[in-house]
Amino acid sequence: DTKNHRTMRVEALYKRLRFFHFVWLILPLLVLGAGAFIWTKITPSYQGKRLDYWLSNLDSSKKDDRREAKEAIKKIGAKAVPFLGGELHRRDSKLNQWLANEFGTPFEFTPSEDYKKRALLALDILGPEGRKALPDLKKMLRRGELPSSVVNTIVHVDPEPMDFLIEMMSHTNSKVRSAVSWKLGQLQPHDEKSIKMLISALADPELDVRSGSANSLGKIGLFFFLVVPALAASLDDTNRMVEINNVLDSLRRYGAKAQMAVPKLLNLIEKREGGLKGEVISVLRAIDLDAANREGFGTPDLVRMLNSSDELSKFAALVAIWQSRDNPPEFISPLMDVLSDSNDDIRRLAIIILGDYEESAKEALTALARALEDPSVNVRYMATSAIRKIDSTWLTTNSRIK
C-alpha cells in the first residue's frame, strides 16, 4: 500500500509538472499573440493596409509604390506619429539576427537602422504634423545617431529649429557638426550669433565641417563685413585648409561686397595652375571685373590663354569662362578652335561652354557636328547635347548627321 501510494504521488507530481511545462510553453505564444493583436489594432492604416506596409514601400524600387506610400502617410497624418516614435526606439535583436544567419527563411532580419530611416522619411513627409516626435529626434541627434537624416527631419517638423541646431554645432561628434553646418545654409532667419558660430567653424578640426560652414555662409549672404574677411583668410590657411571650392563659391555669391578678398584671390592665382586657377579667375571677375582687367584676366586675356600652346593655361581659361555668367560672344570663335585640341578634357569642356551659349552659338554648329565623330565617346555625347541646346531641330533636319 505504501508503495502504491508513493507511485500515485509521483504520477500526480508528474502530471502537474507536465501541466506547468505546457503552460510555460503556451504562455509566451499567448502573450505574443495578444501583443500582435493589440499592435494590429493600434497601428494606423489606410485603404486596409497598416502603416508598416506603407513604410516598407518608401524605399521600393518602383516609383509608383513610393508615390502611393507618401500619399498614404499624408492621409494617415498625425495619427502615425506614435508608431513612428516607436520605430525610432528600435534596437537590433541578436536572437533574430542569429536565427536569420543560421536558418535564413522564414527568419528574416532587418536592421533597426532601416526601420529608423523609414520612420524619418515618413516624418519628413508629415512635416509640422510630426512635431510631437521632436523630443525623440533631438535625443537621437544628441546621441549622434543618423545625424544627416535626423537633422533633415528636424528641419521638416520643427518650425523654429535654429536654436537647437546652433547648439549642436558644439557637439563632440564631428558628423553631427558636419550635418548641421551644411543644413544651416538652407534656413532663415539668421542673426549675428549664428553667423559667428559658422565663422568659428571655419577652424573646425574636421574638413567637412569647415567646408559645410563655408558653403552655408555663402548661401546665407549676410554680415559680409564679418564673413568675407574670414573666408578670405581661410584661402591661405594651408595647415587647416577649408575645401577651397566652397570658399570660392561663397565669395562669388557675395559679389562686389567681397572686394576685400581680391588681394587674396590674386595671390592664389599666382600659386595655382589649371582648373583651380581658372575657378579663382572666374571668382575675381565676378567680384571685381575692373581688377581682373587690370591684372591681365579680362576677356582679351582669356582669349589669348585659349590660344596658348600651354595646356594648363588653356584649361584655366576654359574653367574661368565656364564658371562665369553672361560670357561675351568674343569667346565663341576661339572655343571653336579649341575643338581640335588633342586633350579630351579640353575638347569636352569647350563643347559644354558652347552649349551653354544656346542659340547664340549657332555659328558653332558645323564645328560641333564634326565632334560627333570624335574618338572619345564622352566628347561625342557632349557634342550631341550641345547641338540640341543650341538648336533642338538641327540634328533631325540635317539628315547627313547620324
Side-chain angles (χ1 to χ4, degrees):
D1 290 341
T2 306
K3 185 175 180 181
N4 289 338
H5 183 63
R6 263 193 221 131
T7 303
M8 290 173 64
R9 288 181 64 189
V10 169
E11 287 177 353
L13 181 59
Y14 178 68
K15 286 179 181 178
R16 278 188 200 147
L17 288 173
R18 286 186 64 187
F19 172 76
F20 284 117
H21 185 248
F22 173 77
V23 169
W24 281 110
L25 282 174
I26 202 69
L27 187 61
L29 295 175
L30 290 171
V31 170
L32 286 172
F37 177 78
I38 294 169
W39 178 77
T40 301
K41 289 295 183 184
I42 65 172
T43 304
S45 60
Y46 175 71
Q47 292 184 342
K49 295 173 182 175
R50 294 193 307 267
L51 177 57
D52 53 306
Y53 167 82
W54 297 115
L55 290 174
S56 68
N57 276 359
L58 282 176
D59 50 14
S60 170
S61 59
K62 297 178 180 178
K63 185 178 179 180
D64 286 343
D65 287 350
R66 298 195 301 273
R67 179 184 53 77
E68 289 175 3
K70 289 177 183 177
E71 186 62 29
I73 290 165
K74 286 179 183 176
K75 293 291 185 183
I76 294 171
K79 290 185 292 184
V81 175
F83 180 86
L84 296 174
E87 297 292 89
L88 296 178
H89 286 278
R90 273 190 182 259
R91 294 288 179 266
D92 288 329
S93 165
K94 295 201 173 180
L95 174 60
N96 290 347
Q97 196 169 0
W98 179 82
L99 289 170
N101 290 336
E102 290 294 320
F103 302 105
T105 308
F107 298 101
E108 294 182 2
F109 174 74
T110 303
S112 61
E113 186 174 290
D114 290 356
Y115 290 103
K116 292 176 183 179
K117 286 179 178 178
R118 291 170 189 164
L120 292 170
L121 284 173
L123 288 167
D124 290 348
I125 294 165
L126 291 175
E129 280 193 281
R131 60 186 173 274
K132 287 189 177 179
L134 264 175
D136 289 328
L137 293 170
K138 289 181 176 181
K139 286 177 184 176
M140 285 182 73
L141 193 58
R142 286 193 173 101
R143 291 196 301 266
E145 194 173 357
L146 300 173
S148 294
S149 299
V150 173
V151 166
N152 190 61
T153 302
I154 287 173
V155 168
H156 277 91
V157 304
D158 189 354
E160 297 178 347
M162 191 71 75
D163 288 343
F164 176 70
L165 293 181
I166 291 295
E167 177 191 337
M168 290 297 98
M169 282 294 290
S170 302
H171 201 285
T172 56
N173 187 327
S174 64
K175 291 183 178 178
V176 172
R177 299 196 306 276
S178 174
V180 174
S181 70
W182 286 96
K183 183 58 70 173
L184 284 174
Q186 302 172 25
L187 304 179
Q188 293 291 348
H190 281 271
D191 55 17
E192 192 170 343
K193 176 185 175 183
S194 62
I195 296 297
K196 285 183 175 179
M197 174 62 77
L198 285 168
I199 289 173
S200 67
L202 293 173
D204 193 276
E206 293 296 324
L207 172 63
D208 202 48
V209 179
R210 302 195 296 272
S211 300
S213 300
N215 181 277
S216 287
L217 286 167
K219 287 182 177 178
I220 294 165
L222 299 174
F223 297 93
F224 73 94
F225 52 90
L226 295 174
V227 175
V228 172
L231 290 173
S234 69
L235 290 175
D236 57 9
D237 187 355
T238 54
N239 293 322
R240 299 164 65 85
M241 192 110 177
V242 177
E243 189 173 312
I244 201 165
N245 291 339
N246 289 294
V247 176
L248 293 173
D249 188 55
S250 291
L251 288 172
R252 189 198 312 275
R253 289 172 183 270
Y254 276 96
K257 292 178 180 178
Q259 285 186 353
M260 65 183 76
V262 166
K264 296 286 186 184
L265 293 171
L266 291 171
N267 183 50
L268 195 59
I269 288 171
E270 288 183 10
K271 295 178 180 179
R272 301 289 173 170
E273 293 182 328
L276 183 54
K277 179 176 182 176
E279 188 165 353
V280 182
I281 292 171
S282 75
V283 174
L284 175 64
R285 287 168 61 85
I287 291 173
D288 191 339
L289 187 56
D290 289 337
N293 289 331
R294 287 195 307 271
E295 298 296 330
F297 302 109
T299 297
D301 304 298
L302 292 180
V303 169
R304 280 194 294 272
M305 291 171 69
L306 284 176
N307 294 327
S308 169
S309 58
D310 179 55
E311 196 170 271
L312 288 173
S313 180
K314 188 180 294 186
F315 195 68
L318 283 169
V319 172
I321 296 167
W322 181 43
Q323 294 282 349
S324 299
R325 299 179 180 90
D326 301 323
N327 281 316
E330 289 89 338
F331 289 134
I332 293 176
S333 181
L335 284 168
M336 290 163 58
D337 294 336
V338 171
L339 298 185
S340 60
D341 195 273
S342 60
N343 186 303
D344 291 3
D345 291 332
I346 286 177
R347 296 197 306 279
R348 186 172 68 247
L349 187 50
I351 289 170
I352 292 171
I353 298 168
L354 285 169
D356 289 342
Y357 273 94
E358 297 181 346
E359 60 183 22
S360 299
K362 284 190 175 181
E363 65 187 272
L365 285 170
T366 303
L368 288 168
R370 288 194 291 270
L372 294 174
E373 299 176 358
D374 194 277
S376 166
V377 64
N378 290 326
V379 172
R380 296 197 301 271
Y381 175 80
M382 289 301 175
T384 303
S385 176
I387 290 171
R388 285 175 176 157
K389 288 172 75 174
I390 295 168
D391 186 340
S392 59
T393 64
W394 195 85
L395 284 173
T396 54
T397 54
N398 288 264
S399 56
R400 63 186 180 82
I401 304 297
K402 295 182 181 180

